[in-house]
Amino acid sequence: MNQTIKIAPVRKTVVVQTTPEEAFAVFTARIDRWWPKTHGIGSAPVRETIIEPYVGGRWYTKCEDGTEVVVGHVRVWQPAERFVVGWEISAGWKPDARVELASEVEVRFLAEGSGRTRVELEHRNFERMGAADGETMRKGVDGGWPGLLELFAAEASMGGKKS
């Protein structure tokens, strides 16, 4: 008997005072400006966080010791609308290149008028990791994404004024 588990996705939303195009650029091309250097999965401190802007591109960190650590790979790339990346991280917060076990993060950018954009993040497919690891990862990201989205929103509200 094969029992299929289902773990609820994590959904978070933030509204920023900028266009979808700018919000998308801040989240992706300028991720290094707001993603904390303390949020890395490598063995060395993070020097830079990068998302390569195309399907198949890496979301990765360059570490101070010269190593590169992959967070995931881009699955969908629609500038100013949405992107989807695999989250190739184990429940123990270590890199895990086994794509079949990766959860997935989708970020959508929806114009709300008056120059505002609603950014909707959904982190899903935790069940691919198995019941225990999937629940562990879900709990971790459910607690982590709100703070990250606050940092993103603060950067997006700068409107490119930060050098």
Side-chain angles (χ1 to χ4, degrees), residues 10-72:
V10 168
R11 293 185 178 103
K12 305 294 179 188
T13 301
V14 65
V15 176
V16 293
Q17 188 66 44
T18 193
T19 65
E21 293 80 8
E22 177 66 13
F24 186 94
V26 169
F27 207 109
T28 59
R30 299 201 297 270
I31 191 170
D32 190 55
R33 291 188 181 189
W34 60 270
W35 191 269
K37 301 294 186 234
T38 55
H39 282 52
I41 56 171
S43 55
V46 172
R47 185 169 43 91
E48 184 179 14
T49 300
I50 300 160
I51 297 177
E52 296 173 328
Y54 50 87
V55 172
R58 299 172 298 161
W59 175 346
Y60 69 104
T61 57
K62 290 183 179 179
C63 299
E64 289 181 2
D65 66 359
T67 59
E68 293 182 353
V69 181
V70 173
V71 172

Side-chain angles (χ1 to χ4, degrees), residues 142-157:
D142 190 39
W145 280 119
L148 291 167
L149 288 176
E150 284 179 23
L151 294 170
F152 156 75
E155 179 65 29
S157 73

